[in-house]
């Protein structure tokens, strides 16, 4: 009789050889049972599926029933239920129940049934369907419970946001740095010929090898910290979901803590990625940055609209440009969220399965908040960094901007388009170009009512115009305020006259100096161009 598999803080012991072998042979029975994204969605229906996404398992259990391999697999792996050994054995055949337990995938539970020892769930994108293996989510039973140091995440919100933001153009070589269980690598299999995945965690790479075996994807898997496993190599594309969470210089959880203190992990990676890119190679990573009181006050004194959030990323980009030499560097830093220190700490305590009100939670929160107070941190920014190494002698373009507005489209196509726009502008004088406003751009106008006591000669049916806003209707849904001259200039972008001529005509019509108007209009139009709100004819 097989003894119950011990479950530690970091999950069950894993057999580094047997688990990938079991995973490779498990793909067929999973597919045969319909344990896929589409199969599970069809079995549950939209209402129960949505409830399960909210971590409400009862509607899903009622929808899937008790009979058959799919019901067994859904209840076992998605609903965290114990199942009868003979039902599990039938569902995973020809993989033997004993070897699945020995590999660390399943375990005998205290009730005499079989439970999942790992998280196994279907996943898919437009290129394929597969499964992801990771550690089980912590379900806190006591005040001090939490994820273990080596806990390996699955398809979390951060990993899925990076996958949605990744450029998917075909490339020969791609590196997934800090691959974890391999989510980014799987997504990259649809557009990269040769895949390399690295991680400092042996446990993560055991799960990654098993995940790749389940998907039937060939991947070079290397163990080691940071760039050490690929020293001296360069890639067409690098993707990285690093331990980016700013906090004290310690490692409580490998998936989120780098041990460098503050935003050291993001600083290290942003500044060194270009050294591992080929010419025109692209690196993309999630990053966080500390926003300090000194940077905020300096930005306000200088009239900087960024309010100081970009101060630290810009310092890293200076080092990144040096790493790109003798080439140049294109860089796009997008801030997607900002949290105050208290919110940041509470969020990541809960993410680690720790109740902030517990004794352990209080102690950890105090330690983190003391660290932020000591470094005068007033906020923590989070977002995406895209870097492209340009050819020698080609100057780069560096842009840092807020994108905290909601948007429904994947960010990846927008990043790809931004890189194309930057490349298109190189060697061109925008004033000599003929531009048009695409149909995905709209103009919103604002008005306030004219009171009966006012005598306004140019009112519009009792309304006074107070401004206009140019809005992009797709993608990131950028918004730009325009004055009347800006509206008139864009109205002239109909593909007939170059921008320089439009500026001169506008200056003549409004009695303005042509050179001054052109100098003021050029940076505005350039930003609109980079945001896809004016395009070449």
């Amino acid at each position: 009789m097989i003894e119950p598999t011990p479950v530690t803080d970091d999950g069950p012991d894993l057999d580094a050889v047997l688990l990938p072998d079991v995973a490779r042979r498990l793909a067929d029975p999973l597919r045969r049972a319909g344990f896929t994204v589409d199969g599970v969605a069809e079995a549950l229906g939209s209402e129960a599926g949505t409830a399960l996404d909210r971590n409400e398992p009862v509607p899903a259990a009622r929808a899937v029933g008790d009979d058959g391999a799919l019901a067994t697999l859904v209840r076992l792996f998605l609903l965290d239920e114990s199942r009868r050994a003979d039902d599990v054995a039938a569902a995973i055949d020809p993989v033997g129940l004993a070897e699945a337990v020995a590999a660390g995938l399943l375990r005998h539970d205290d009730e005499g049934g079989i439970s999942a020892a790992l998280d196994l769930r279907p996943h898919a994108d437009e290129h394929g369907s597969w499964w992801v293996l990771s550690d089980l989510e912590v379900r806190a039973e006591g005040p001090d419970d939490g994820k273990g140091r080596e806990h390996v995440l699955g398809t979390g919100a951060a990993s899925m946001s990076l996958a949605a933001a990744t450029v998917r153009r075909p490339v020969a070589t791609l590196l997934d740095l800090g691959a974890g269980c391999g989510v980014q690598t799987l997504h990259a299999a649809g557009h990269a010929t040769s895949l390399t995945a690295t991680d400092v965690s042996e446990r993560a790479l055991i799960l990654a090898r098993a995940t790749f075996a389940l998907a039937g994807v060939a991947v070079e898997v290397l163990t080691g910290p940071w760039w050490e496993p690929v020293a001296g190599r360069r890639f067409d594309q690098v993707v990285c979901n690093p331990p980016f969470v700013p906090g004290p210089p310690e490692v409580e959880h490998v998936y989120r803590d780098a041990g460098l203190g503050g935003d050291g992990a993001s600083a290290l990676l942003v500044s060194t990625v270009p050294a591992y890119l080929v010419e025109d190679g692209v690196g993309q990573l999630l990053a966080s940055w500390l926003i300090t009181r000194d940077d905020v006050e300096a930005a306000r004194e200088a009239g900087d609209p960024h309010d100081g959030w970009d101060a630290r990323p810009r310092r890293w980009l200076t080092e990144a440009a040096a790493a790109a030499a003798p080439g140049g560097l294109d860089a796009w830093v997008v801030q997607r969220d900002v949290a105050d220190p208290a919110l940041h700490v509470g969020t990541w305590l809960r993410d680690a399965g720790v109740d902030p009100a517990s004794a352990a939670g209080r102690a950890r929160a105090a330690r983190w908040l003391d660290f932020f107070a000591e470094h005068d941190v007033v906020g923590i920014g989070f977002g995406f960094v895209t870097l492209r190494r340009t050819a020698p002698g080609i100057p780069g373009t560096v842009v840092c901007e807020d994108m905290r507005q909601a948007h429904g489209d994947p960010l990846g196509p927008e990043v790809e388009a931004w890189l194309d726009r930057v490349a298109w502008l190189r060697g061109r004088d925008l004033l000599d170009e003929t531009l048009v406003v695409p149909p995905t751009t709209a103009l919103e106008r604002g008005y306030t009512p004219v009171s009966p006591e006012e005598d306004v000669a140019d009112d519009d049916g009792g309304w006074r115009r107070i401004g206009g806003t140019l809005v992009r209707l797709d993608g990131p849904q950028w918004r730009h305020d325009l004055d009347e001259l800006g509206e008139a200039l864009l109205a002239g972008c109909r593909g007939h006259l170059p921008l320089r001529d439009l500026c001169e005509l506008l200056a003549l019509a409004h009695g303005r100096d042509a050179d001054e108007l052109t100098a003021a209009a050029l940076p505005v139009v350039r930003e609109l161009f980079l945001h896809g709100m004016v395009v070449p004819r």
Side-chain angles (χ1 to χ4, degrees), residues 80-153:
D80 194 26
E81 293 184 4
S82 173
R83 307 308 295 162
R84 290 172 31 185
D86 54 350
D87 289 338
V88 176
I92 65 174
D93 183 63
V95 175
L97 185 60
E99 61 181 340
V101 171
L105 175 64
L106 302 174
R107 64 184 179 88
H108 290 273
D109 54 47
D110 295 337
E111 287 125 19
I114 298 293
S115 295
L118 293 172
D119 188 284
L120 170 65
R121 63 187 57 234
H123 192 57
D125 67 5
E126 64 273 20
H127 297 294
S129 175
W130 52 79
W131 301 268
V132 173
L133 270 168
S134 63
D135 279 320
L136 293 170
E137 278 300 301
V138 172
R139 305 195 192 285
E141 300 294 340
D144 296 338
D145 283 355
K147 294 175 181 175
R149 185 181 189 279
E150 299 295 323
H151 184 93
V152 180
L153 294 182

Side-chain angles (χ1 to χ4, degrees), residues 391-459:
I394 302 297
T397 296
V398 174
V399 176
C400 298
E401 56 190 340
D402 252 323
M403 193 192 289
R404 281 183 276 174
Q405 70 272 19
H407 67 86
D409 295 338
L411 189 59
E414 186 66 21
V415 176
E416 186 176 317
W418 186 90
L419 292 170
D420 285 346
R421 293 169 196 140
V422 167
W424 185 89
L425 280 173
R426 272 198 265 274
R428 283 184 167 89
D429 187 340
L430 195 56
L431 291 171
D432 294 331
E433 300 299 328
T434 303
L435 305 172
V436 296
V437 179
T440 52
T441 301
L443 177 64
E444 294 179 351
R445 284 179 172 163
Y447 296 86
T448 57
V450 176
S451 68
E453 295 78 16
E454 292 182 278
D455 182 14
V456 180
D458 59 347
D459 70 347

Side-chain angles (χ1 to χ4, degrees), residues 229-522:
V230 293
R233 296 172 62 179
R234 290 185 178 179
F235 299 85
D236 296 300
Q237 189 171 7
V238 173
V239 294
C240 181
N241 178 11
F244 59 78
V245 181
E250 58 192 31
V251 180
E252 287 186 336
H253 307 289
V254 173
Y255 73 88
R256 76 166 196 208
D257 305 322
L260 300 179
D263 50 16
S266 297
L268 171 66
L269 290 168
V270 171
S271 62
T272 54
V273 163
Y276 296 87
L277 295 173
V278 302
E279 186 178 306
D280 288 329
V282 174
Q284 295 183 266
L285 64 148
L286 295 174
S288 285
W289 38 85
L290 301 180
I291 304 171
T292 67
R293 183 171 282 102
D294 284 348
D295 287 333
V296 171
E297 291 176 354
R300 288 174 180 168
E301 289 177 7
D304 183 350
H306 289 112
D307 290 331
W309 73 259
D310 62 332
R312 295 176 73 85
R314 286 190 184 276
R315 292 173 200 143
W316 307 339
L317 293 174
T318 299
E319 298 179 32
L329 182 70
D330 290 326
W332 193 22
V333 180
V334 172
Q335 181 168 255
R336 289 292 290 135
D337 196 12
V338 177
D340 62 69
L343 176 60
H344 173 83
V345 172
T347 297
W348 287 103
L349 283 177
R350 292 185 181 90
D351 177 84
V354 176
D355 180 359
S358 69
R362 288 170 185 260
R364 294 179 190 181
R367 189 167 66 251
W368 278 42
L369 290 173
D370 285 346
F371 176 84
F372 289 137
E374 179 184 346
H375 292 82
D376 217 13
V377 174
V378 295
I380 297 95
F382 164 82
F384 304 101
V385 178
T386 299
L387 305 168
R388 176 170 60 190
R389 182 176 186 158
T390 66
I394 302 297
T397 296
V398 174
V399 176
C400 298
E401 56 190 340
D402 252 323
M403 193 192 289
R404 281 183 276 174
Q405 70 272 19
H407 67 86
D409 295 338
L411 189 59
E414 186 66 21
V415 176
E416 186 176 317
W418 186 90
L419 292 170
D420 285 346
R421 293 169 196 140
V422 167
W424 185 89
L425 280 173
R426 272 198 265 274
R428 283 184 167 89
D429 187 340
L430 195 56
L431 291 171
D432 294 331
E433 300 299 328
T434 303
L435 305 172
V436 296
V437 179
T440 52
T441 301
L443 177 64
E444 294 179 351
R445 284 179 172 163
Y447 296 86
T448 57
V450 176
S451 68
E453 295 78 16
E454 292 182 278
D455 182 14
V456 180
D458 59 347
D459 70 347
D460 186 0
W463 294 92
R464 178 195 297 105
R465 184 178 164 198
I466 59 172
T469 302
L470 201 65
V471 181
R472 185 166 151 191
L473 303 176
D474 64 346
Q477 300 177 16
W478 297 111
R479 300 178 67 86
H480 290 267
D481 292 335
L482 293 177
D483 58 18
E484 291 189 44
L485 285 178
E487 290 184 24
L489 180 62
L490 291 184
C493 292
R494 297 178 178 271
H496 302 305
L497 294 174
L499 181 61
R500 187 187 311 277
D501 290 353
L502 290 176
C503 288
E504 290 176 354
L505 288 173
L506 190 62
L508 181 63
H510 290 265
R512 299 283 296 272
D513 180 85
D515 290 340
E516 290 181 1
L517 188 146
T518 300
L522 186 57

Side-chain angles (χ1 to χ4, degrees), residues 194-226:
S194 176
L195 299 162
T196 300
T198 71
D199 206 287
V200 70
S201 168
E202 289 280 3
R203 181 178 183 81
L205 291 184
I206 293 172
L207 290 169
R209 288 186 178 96
T211 293
F212 302 150
L214 266 170
V217 175
V219 181
E220 176 190 29
V221 179
L222 304 173
T223 308
W226 305 112

